[in-house]
Every structure is written in structure tokens, then in C-alpha cells.
Amino acid sequence: MKNFLIAVCLCIVMNGANAEIALAAGNQSNAPAPADLRAQAASHLKFLYGMYFAIRACTEAHQEQSELGFKPTVSLSEAQSVLRAADASARSVGVDVDRAWLEMSSIGQAAGEALKLKSDDNFKKCQQSGMFFRTITSRLQMTIDKLDGIIPLIKKDF
């Protein structure tokens, strides 16, 4: 049942993101309308929230159960830092971040709790969570850039 919740959560977010992208791509002009880009950014932000819950749950499971398989490839503090920047950046271009959080928080928490069960499948999901987190961060940054956002999500490290 808990694996089913995770799958449903990811499916909802992924399908929402794909629908938003399809709507933006279907626009007759070369540039998507700002409303379409905001909807796309909101969808990316929801997925980022979902990945945050996964990273948090995997980190907690790793610490509580001393099981290396749960350790995500992104630290919880890095995920929190990126989320603070993502909230500020998305809000600055007109995305309703509070609504996005409300829509994802209960699903994300349930999916996160399901990830704490010791299984090879959950180990794999925990280890992949960082890759998904970084990928969606990049997509959100690109979408916010198209909306002329100026708050970076990805900080220079050089």
C-alpha cells in the first residue's frame, strides 16, 4: 500500500508536469505564455517538494536504522537550502508557492513514510532521489529564467 502511495504521488506530479509542458509547447507562438510558464514552474515546484519529502524520509531512515542503503545522494541541508531559494524565486515570478506546498505536503509526507520500510526497492528510490531532485531543480531554474526571474536556485560553486 505504501509503495502504491509513492507511485501515485510521483505519477500525479509527473503527469501534471507533462501536461503543463504539452500545453506550453502547443502554444502557436514560439514563446510560451507567461501563465503557461507559471503553471509549468508550479508543477516543477510540486515535484521538488515531493523529492524533498523523499530525501528527508531517506535521511531519517538512514539515521534511525543505520542502514547505508537509505542514504540519499543529496543531503537534507542541501535540499532545504535549494527549497528556500526555489520558494523565493518562484514567488518572485508569480507562482503560488503556498498552494503548491499545500497540494504536495500530505502526499509527500505519506510517500516519505512509505520509503522508511527496509526493502531493495526503497534503497534504490532513496539513492535515486538526489538525481531527481537535481534534475527538477534544473528544470525549475530554466522555467523561472524564461519568466525573467533573477533569484538563482543553482549557486555557483567556483
Side-chain angles (χ1 to χ4, degrees):
M1 179 66 176
K2 291 184 180 186
N3 284 338
F4 176 74
L5 286 174
I6 293 169
V8 169
C9 174
L10 291 177
C11 193
I12 289 169
V13 174
M14 294 293 285
N15 286 334
N18 291 337
E20 314 273 331
I21 292 167
L23 284 173
N27 195 346
Q28 293 298 324
S29 68
N30 288 340
D36 292 337
L37 288 171
R38 274 189 211 84
Q40 186 177 355
S43 183
H44 291 326
L45 187 62
K46 290 176 197 175
F47 188 65
L48 197 62
Y49 289 149
M51 289 297 94
Y52 163 74
F53 282 111
I55 290 167
R56 187 176 81 182
C58 292
T59 299
E60 290 171 359
H62 170 65
Q63 292 169 345
E64 294 166 1
Q65 300 179 35
S66 299
E67 178 64 57
L68 190 59
F70 282 119
K71 188 174 183 182
T73 56
V74 170
S75 71
L76 184 58
S77 62
E78 179 185 348
Q80 290 168 332
S81 176
V82 168
L83 278 178
R84 282 190 291 276
D87 276 1
S89 189
R91 189 179 311 260
S92 76
V93 295
V95 174
D96 187 349
V97 298
D98 297 324
R99 180 178 177 179
W101 175 258
L102 286 174
E103 290 178 11
M104 279 307 296
S105 61
S106 60
I107 296 169
Q109 287 177 352
E113 287 302 312
L115 279 173
K116 291 182 178 183
L117 297 175
K118 195 180 282 191
S119 73
D120 290 339
D121 190 43
N122 284 349
F123 293 160
K124 183 178 178 181
K125 289 174 185 173
C126 285
Q127 292 163 4
Q128 290 177 332
S129 63
M131 174 189 63
F132 289 124
F133 187 83
R134 287 188 175 103
T135 300
I136 202 65
T137 298
S138 176
R139 288 183 180 181
L140 178 58
Q141 179 70 69
M142 288 186 286
T143 304
I144 287 174
D145 285 345
K146 290 176 186 175
L147 288 164
D148 297 323
I150 58 171
I151 301 171
L153 305 181
I154 303 168
K155 305 280 188 207
K156 286 184 179 180
D157 62 355
F158 56 91

